[in-house]
Amino acid sequence: MLLAVLAFHSLVAKPFYIPSTSMMPALYVGDRLVVSKYPYGWSWASASFHLLPRSDWRVFGATPEYGDVVIPVHPVRNEDYIKRVVALPGDTIEVSDGRIILNGVPVKREVVPPVRIPFEPELMCSRGPCLDNFLAYKVRMPNGEQFFEPPTYRETLPNGATYLIIDHADQSRTRLGEDDLDNYGPYTVPADHVFVMGDNRDESADSRARVEKSGLGGAIPLENIGGRAEFITFSVDGSASWNPLSWYSAMRGDRAWTTLRPAIAEQTAIAEPSETSE
């Protein structure tokens, strides 16, 4: 039975837990989701618990699409990350003042109303200084509820994949020392690699950040991608205790069964010289 479970988790799908804020607003700390193992073929990274040695082989290999949320394994440590694909093999990517420039063309980015993120400091800020970064965006409702409402944008990639990101710009150096996440490149993605970024742009140790700063140190080899995030199964807000009566109230019921595949916009992703909808 254990071998059957291990095989299923390695070849078909496995559960995944979100421990950090790097993919907000798509993913909250405490989200549980399903990762499918077969969309890009199988490699050493597919095996649960990283039981296989690192190698460059792949079976039935395929390339992710723009906007896919994937599970890259860190280039040095056997640690799974979760990030969004923003550049494919052969693309030249640059980040300037927080905006992605892909093959010389700014990716479309529109200002949208701020997302409302529950104020849960014990949970969302247990692994970094994110609370300090978000305090400026805390609001209190008349009924006493508190939320973060950080600057939010809708980004659209060349294939029409569209999703929300958080970018509070001037805080970009806070989490990762001297790595300026708002300015990067130009960088050409090698063959059989993809460039990935977190949706919470100033709180994500991704392809922009150095390995010694917990980042991915550039594009990720396709054999290091262990699967694609599909949907959220359930989510808990961190208020649960040993008492089973607290478990139900800790559930974020509105997040269950939320898809993690990007929506597809009808219009193209070519941006105007300046941001729209300001």
Side-chain angles (χ1 to χ4, degrees):
M1 185 179 294
L2 290 175
L3 289 176
V5 171
L6 179 62
F8 187 86
H9 283 185
S10 299
L11 301 175
V12 182
K14 70 171 291 184
F16 197 86
Y17 168 75
I18 301 300
S20 78
T21 63
S22 70
M23 279 296 292
M24 287 195 310
L27 290 166
Y28 292 177
V29 176
D31 284 349
R32 271 72 169 179
L33 51 115
V34 168
V35 171
S36 59
K37 292 302 190 81
Y38 51 83
Y40 316 123
W42 294 274
S43 69
W44 70 270
S46 304
S48 288
F49 308 110
H50 304 295
L51 296 176
L52 298 179
R54 291 175 180 253
S55 181
D56 59 359
W57 60 268
R58 288 201 299 154
V59 177
F60 300 117
T63 301
E65 298 180 1
Y66 289 118
D68 283 357
V69 177
V70 300
I71 311 298
V73 182
H74 191 273
V76 177
R77 304 187 305 275
N78 286 335
E79 183 177 346
D80 292 328
Y81 282 42
I82 183 163
K83 306 294 176 187
R84 191 179 300 275
V85 174
V86 296
L88 300 180
D91 284 344
T92 297
I93 185 170
E94 180 178 1
V95 181
S96 179
D97 293 329
R99 298 197 64 183
I100 294 177
I101 301 172
L102 200 58
N103 299 319
V105 179
V107 164
K108 183 176 181 179
R109 193 172 87 161
E110 302 171 279
V111 178
V112 297
V115 292
R116 179 170 289 178
I117 297 171
F119 179 68
E120 300 166 352
E122 304 86 358
L123 186 65
M124 66 181 289
C125 299
S126 61
R127 294 181 52 156
C130 64
L131 180 59
D132 293 338
N133 295 347
F134 274 70
L135 278 178
Y137 310 112
K138 188 172 74 169
V139 298
R140 183 185 294 271
M141 305 303 291
N143 63 1
E145 289 186 271
Q146 298 182 81
F147 299 92
F148 293 116
E149 292 187 346
T152 307
Y153 304 85
R154 177 168 294 281
E155 201 167 72
T156 307
L157 294 173
N159 65 341
T162 184
Y163 47 87
L164 298 181
I165 67 167
I166 296 171
D167 187 0
H168 45 98
D170 58 348
Q171 301 287 343
S172 63
R173 297 177 184 230
T174 302
R175 182 173 185 268
L176 297 170
E178 294 303 315
D179 282 0
D180 184 357
L181 301 183
D182 279 345
N183 296 281
Y184 179 92
Y187 171 86
T188 299
V189 180
D192 298 322
H193 288 63
V194 290
F195 196 93
V196 297
M197 292 170 62
D199 292 348
N200 186 4
R201 290 294 162 78
D202 299 318
E203 304 291 338
S204 177
D206 49 39
S207 289
R208 298 168 294 168
R210 293 172 290 166
V211 170
E212 56 268 29
K213 294 292 184 179
S214 299
L216 296 172
I220 291 294
L222 294 181
E223 62 267 19
N224 280 38
I225 294 179
R228 183 179 68 195
E230 301 292 352
F231 59 89
I232 296 170
T233 53
F234 69 98
S235 182
V236 292
D237 64 13
S239 64
S241 68
W242 61 268
N243 186 347
L245 296 178
S246 68
W247 299 350
Y248 180 79
S249 62
M251 298 289 288
R252 302 182 182 118
D254 59 335
R255 298 191 61 74
W257 311 116
T258 301
T259 181
L260 296 173
R261 303 303 306 279
I264 302 299
E266 294 182 0
Q267 53 191 359
T268 62
I270 305 301
E272 293 80 9
S274 60
E275 291 180 355
T276 59
S277 303
E278 297 228 31

